Amino acid sequence: MAYGDRQGNIGKPERRRRFMAARDSIPSAERESRSIQLCDRLETEVLSELRKRLNRPMNLCVFAPFRSEASPVPLLLRCWEMGDQTYAPSIVPGEEGMELRKVEQLTDWIPGKWGVPEPDPVRAVLIESTQPIDAVIVPGLAYDVTGGRLGYGGGYYDRLYEDMLRRGNAETLWIGFAFDAQVAAEPLPVESHDLRLNVLATEARVIWFNDQKA
């Protein structure tokens, strides 16, 4: 069931606190089983169809789970079996942006800023500037059914979106990845610079926005 409120004057910090609490309240074993369901649904309904359309393995940007986030690890293992190339973001030291590095196994991640897993710069090479990205799996605290997303407040994925557009990745699918409990009942407050998703995947459903599926 989606968690939502009907108080339009609630600000982003309070919304973040409420959705974090809702996510944290899911027992660990249940988070694991829901993550497997989510990964299976995303693979079956979105990524397998994307590979067919591309007629080749994918180039996928994905994150490693932190704290009570839904885990994309089962999806990662499947992607590696399918021959996909996978990349993960890390914060550029001394800057406000992120860079992508190729990850080929789970041990390629190390704790980064705030303890969030990032690719080990010793083991994971930087993506080539000409390498296209077919899809980006986007973490967050809350999502809505219009394509809105509430992140953690740093704006890193918003800036990654802008940077990838400048690099010519206009056809990239931006996929929200979360538990259904993180889907708001009403539209979230969004600003003009906020990332707008193409699709949202939860363990219960896949929602496409702006006729992207067609």
Side-chain angles (χ1 to χ4, degrees), residues 42-53 58 78 82:
L42 178 55
E43 166 62 28
T44 301
E45 298 188 29
V46 181
L47 300 187
S48 64
E49 296 300 316
L50 179 58
R51 289 191 202 93
K52 291 177 184 177
R53 180 166 62 82
M58 288 185 307
R78 175 63 173 166
M82 298 295 293

Side-chain angles (χ1 to χ4, degrees), residues 107-119:
T107 53
D108 286 346
W109 272 277
I110 60 173
K113 193 173 184 180
W114 304 299
V116 178
E118 294 186 349

Side-chain angles (χ1 to χ4, degrees), residues 4-187:
D5 62 75
R6 298 185 178 276
Q7 303 178 52
N9 61 345
I10 292 178
K12 286 185 177 182
E14 176 61 14
R15 289 174 188 268
R16 289 190 177 97
R17 187 192 68 77
R18 293 187 181 195
F19 278 100
M20 177 74 79
R23 195 181 70 189
D24 289 347
S25 69
I26 303 172
S28 177
E30 189 172 342
R31 285 201 302 270
E32 182 176 352
S33 63
R34 290 191 188 188
S35 292
I36 293 172
Q37 294 172 30
L38 167 53
C39 290
D40 286 346
R41 185 175 296 277
L42 178 55
E43 166 62 28
T44 301
E45 298 188 29
V46 181
L47 300 187
S48 64
E49 296 300 316
L50 179 58
R51 289 191 202 93
K52 291 177 184 177
R53 180 166 62 82
L54 294 170
N55 197 30
R56 60 167 172 78
M58 288 185 307
N59 298 310
L60 178 72
C61 175
V62 66
F63 66 95
F66 183 58
R67 293 179 179 168
S68 62
E69 287 180 331
S71 173
V73 168
L75 181 69
L76 259 174
L77 299 177
R78 175 63 173 166
C79 287
W80 288 333
E81 289 179 357
M82 298 295 293
D84 297 329
Q85 302 296 306
T86 55
Y87 302 85
S90 60
I91 296 174
V92 180
E95 299 184 21
E96 294 184 343
M98 294 197 296
E99 60 188 13
L100 301 185
R101 292 180 175 271
K102 188 175 184 180
V103 289
E104 300 179 287
Q105 52 192 347
L106 297 179
T107 53
D108 286 346
W109 272 277
I110 60 173
K113 193 173 184 180
W114 304 299
V116 178
E118 294 186 349
D120 183 351
V122 176
R123 301 170 60 97
V125 299
L126 277 171
I127 189 172
E128 296 182 6
S129 59
T130 57
Q131 177 66 66
I133 293 293
D134 302 307
V136 179
I137 308 300
V138 185
L141 282 172
Y143 304 80
D144 65 33
V145 295
T146 69
R149 166 184 172 268
L150 184 64
Y152 294 90
Y156 288 102
Y157 274 87
D158 299 322
R159 289 189 287 274
L160 178 64
Y161 175 73
E162 294 173 355
D163 182 59
M164 287 181 58
L165 282 179
R166 286 194 297 268
R167 292 173 180 266
N169 286 274
E171 300 301 317
T172 302
L173 274 183
W174 292 80
I175 305 170
F177 183 92
F179 298 124
D180 214 57
Q182 296 172 250
V183 182
E186 295 185 349

